[in-house]
Each structure stands twice: as structure tokens, then as C-alpha cells.
Amino acid sequence: MGALLPGPWPLELLQEAAQAGCPGLRVEAVAQIDSTNTELMRRVRAGALPPPTLLVAERQTAGRGRLGRAWITGGPGQPGDLAALPALTFSLGVVLAPRDWSGLSLAVGVALARALHPALQLKWPNDLWLQGRKLAGILIETAQLGGQRVAVIGIGINLEPPPGDPDTLSVPPAGLRALLPACTAPGVLLQVLPPLLAALRRFEAEGLAPFLADYQARDLLHRQAVVLSDGTQGTAQGIDAGGGLLVHTSAGMRTITSSEVSVRPAAAPPGAPA
Ligand code: BTN
């Protein structure tokens, strides 16, 4: 894996790497911002985003996750010391015109997992997990700009687990350096960008179908007991062709598609192996 790349953000290399999947991608790097997603959405809403744009930040002061949650990164690392950054946080603003938008976060998750490491699993709908801990999250927002729809695809990848007691957090975090000890934020960005752009174009042309087999192979929830945020319990049975999560409940099979529903693995019974 070629994720070692110390030094300043390699903006030209990133632009070159993006050429095949997204000619003309504009790459911007900032030391600090509230949130890369918030910034790109502000630009779209102001009619000012010249898509396509990649915005990467060394630090976010108000990083956002799904369902209104905060996205917190941090730990050791000095401003400007890119080799020591504890996380990669970036957003991509691109015009997309898929026939069906459902399953986009799954396709993005598959592309990232494929690009990063065979050991990574996917937790519906938008997380990458490593050895039972959350490694990365995806936040996709869309807005209309003229006659086109812009997708802002925000990705946060922990290189080091964020501070805090992992055993008391509701979702314990993982860090990519556990798998790739020498990886750096610029190196990981260079590694994931071309496959991510290729996946977006493929999703636009063919939908979720080309990603389903890989999703299934990495599906963390498959045949697991799960609890939905509305309290419903059941057993996850994979995803349907549109990316909905199939959950077998006492009332029969339910397809979970709402972005307002979250899913967590049910607690293991006492005495079960960890
Ligand atoms: C989640 O797991 O709930 C999604 C987390 C998404 C975090 C990324 S970091 C870059 C971009 N900017 C944000 O404020 N959020 C996304």
C-alpha cells in the first residue's frame, strides 16, 4: 500500500491523479475550517461552487456526522505537520446525475474499503469498520445548483483513534495506522481519490449493481442481531438492490431505507466471545 507521503499537501499530484476520473478537479487544502462539508454546501447555496472541487482540511472545528452528530478528530499533531495528522478529513463537491441516488453512500464505502485494505468492513449505511471499531464515516449532502444537482461527499478517516475512552464511547473508534503504521493523511488521500472518482462515475452510469458483491463480502451486519434507533430488534440479512438494509424482525422482513434510522449491533449475550 502506498500511503506514505510526508510533506505538504501534494495538490498537483492530486489533480493529476484525478484527471482520469474527474478532469479539471480543483483541489484546495486548508489548515483549519469549521467543516469541509459545511464550506462546500455554503458555496453551492451561494451559487459559487465551481464544481468539481476537493476540499481537504487539517483540522475541523465543527466537523459533522450523520443524523446531526459531531465528527471529532484529534490527538497529537502540530499545525502544518502533515505526517503526524491524526485523521484525513475532506469533502468532494461534484455534479452527479444518477438515475437513482439510493445507495450512493454504500458505493462510496465500497470504493474506500477496496482502496484502503482487505480487512475493512462496511457497516450500513455509511461506516467503515476495523476489528469491531469505527474507522471512517461518510456524510453525503446534496443541493441544487441551476439545473444540476451537486453532491457534497464528506469523508473522515481516523488514522489514530480520536481521544476519549473507547470503551465508554457508543461507537468505539479505530485508526488506520493499526493496519498501515506509516500512513499519512496526504498519502491516504492520494490512494483513495482515483478509485473514489471512478466509483462515482460508475455509480452515475450503472447504479449500485456493480458494488453489491463487494458490499456483501464486507458486510459487518450480515446475519447479526441488530437494534434500530426506533427500538425494533431483528437480524440483518444484507441489502437489497437499492441499498436498503433488510432486517428480519418479529413482524417479518423490513427494508430500512430512512436516513433517520440508525442501526447498531445488538449487545452480545453474557459469556459470548468478544
Ligand atoms: C458519520 O460517520 O456520521 C459521517 C462522518 C463524516 C465526517 C466527514 S469529515 C469531512 C466532512 N466534513 C464534515 O464535517 N463531515 C465530513
Side-chain angles (χ1 to χ4, degrees):
M1 304 263 168
L4 177 64
L5 195 78
W9 292 102
L11 301 183
E12 282 177 17
L13 269 182
L14 286 163
Q15 260 149 4
E16 275 169 34
Q19 270 311 302
C22 192
L25 180 76
R26 181 187 162 123
V27 183
E28 297 174 31
V30 293
Q32 180 170 307
I33 200 160
D34 50 358
S35 146
T36 54
N37 259 51
T38 303
E39 170 60 17
L40 292 191
M41 289 300 285
R42 267 196 296 263
R43 295 185 196 179
V44 179
R45 291 194 179 112
L49 176 75
T53 302
L54 167 71
L55 177 63
V56 58
E58 290 171 30
R59 184 164 176 269
Q60 296 187 122
T61 54
R64 295 187 290 113
R66 254 181 95 241
L67 306 177
R69 297 183 187 122
W71 179 258
I72 298 177
T73 51
Q78 299 294 316
D81 183 3
L82 299 190
L85 279 182
L88 170 63
T89 52
F90 70 99
S91 301
L92 194 57
V94 281
V95 169
L96 285 183
R99 215 159 27 91
D100 181 358
W101 286 82
S102 51
L104 176 57
S105 72
L106 277 58
V108 170
V110 166
L112 293 174
R114 270 184 197 156
L116 286 171
H117 201 278
L120 299 184
Q121 289 187 289
L122 296 161
K123 179 181 161 288
W124 187 91
N126 67 339
D127 292 353
L128 275 74
W129 282 47
L130 168 65
Q131 293 156 355
R133 292 173 180 244
K134 178 164 171 169
L135 180 90
I138 301 159
L139 174 66
I140 300 183
E141 300 174 289
T142 66
Q144 201 69 23
L145 185 62
Q148 297 175 309
R149 193 138 201 94
V150 180
V152 172
I153 300 165
I155 295 170
I157 303 174
N158 297 326
L159 306 184
E160 300 288 345
D165 180 354
D167 296 326
T168 57
L169 294 172
S170 63
V171 181
L176 189 60
R177 288 194 182 119
L179 283 178
L180 305 172
C183 73
T184 64
V188 173
L189 181 54
L190 203 51
Q191 186 168 323
V192 299
L193 185 60
L196 175 60
L197 295 172
L200 293 178
R201 292 304 157 213
R202 188 138 197 228
F203 179 85
E204 196 174 33
E206 300 175 51
L208 188 59
F211 302 92
L212 283 174
D214 265 19
Y215 184 88
Q216 279 153 12
R218 295 177 185 261
D219 182 359
L220 175 88
L221 296 177
H222 186 56
R223 298 215 177 116
Q224 296 296 309
V226 295
V227 184
L228 308 185
S229 52
D230 66 6
T232 307
Q233 303 201 11
T235 306
Q237 302 284 357
I239 56 171
D240 68 8
L245 180 71
L246 300 169
V247 178
H248 190 257
T249 71
S250 56
M253 194 65 88
R254 254 179 86 176
T255 305
I256 313 299
T257 55
S258 165
S259 58
E260 296 309 315
V261 174
S262 63
V263 184
R264 61 185 161 84

